[in-house]
Amino acid sequence: MQDIVDRYIGQFKEGYFSPLAMMARLSEEVGELAREINHYYGEKPKKKDEEEKTIDMELADCMFILICFANSLGVNLEEAFHAMMHKFNTRDKDRWTRKEETE
């Protein structure tokens, strides 16, 4: 995904935004996701004239910005993901109640 996004952004002279601008864009997208979650699962229904959006597309918008952010900072998300999972599987391995295994 990082390569696909990098090729897409690479076609434009402007390139990636600054880290501060990326943070602002990510905050905007997370806000849009929160709004959709609130409409679907919360107590706030959509207005009748409000555009229909989907949670999956809002999640994908967040992911796109996260990938742009990582690319602009030279972060390999696959490596970071595996390091984070190692943390969960070691430091936090007994933090949650595991389901009983059935055979």
Side-chain angles (χ1 to χ4, degrees):
M1 287 189 281
Q2 285 190 260
D3 288 338
I4 293 168
V5 169
D6 197 53
R7 284 193 302 273
Y8 174 76
I9 296 295
Q11 10 174 26
F12 305 107
K13 290 180 182 179
E14 294 81 2
Y16 291 107
F17 294 153
S18 70
L20 189 57
M22 289 282 191
M23 193 69 235
R25 291 209 48 215
L26 181 59
S27 297
E28 289 174 18
E29 294 299 342
V30 169
E32 291 177 18
L33 174 61
R35 184 173 178 82
E36 287 304 302
I37 295 293
N38 196 23
H39 288 318
Y40 283 95
Y41 301 105
E43 291 72 38
K44 184 179 179 184
K46 281 187 180 268
K47 297 174 186 171
K48 291 180 181 176
D49 62 343
E50 197 168 356
E51 179 185 346
E52 186 66 33
K53 295 183 179 179
T54 60
I55 292 171
D56 59 340
M57 287 305 293
E58 295 304 330
L59 282 167
D61 286 346
C62 291
M63 188 167 58
F64 177 79
I65 298 302
L66 277 171
I67 292 169
C68 286
F69 209 164
N71 285 355
S72 73
L73 297 174
V75 172
N76 181 315
L77 284 175
E78 186 168 1
E79 289 175 7
F81 174 79
H82 289 295
M84 178 268 312
M85 287 306 298
H86 176 72
K87 175 182 72 175
F88 279 111
N89 287 316
T90 55
R91 183 192 74 187
D92 296 338
K93 68 183 169 79
D94 297 320
R95 187 173 187 181
W96 311 108
T97 306
R98 294 198 181 267
K99 294 179 179 180
E100 296 292 323
E101 290 188 35
T102 57
E103 292 183 36

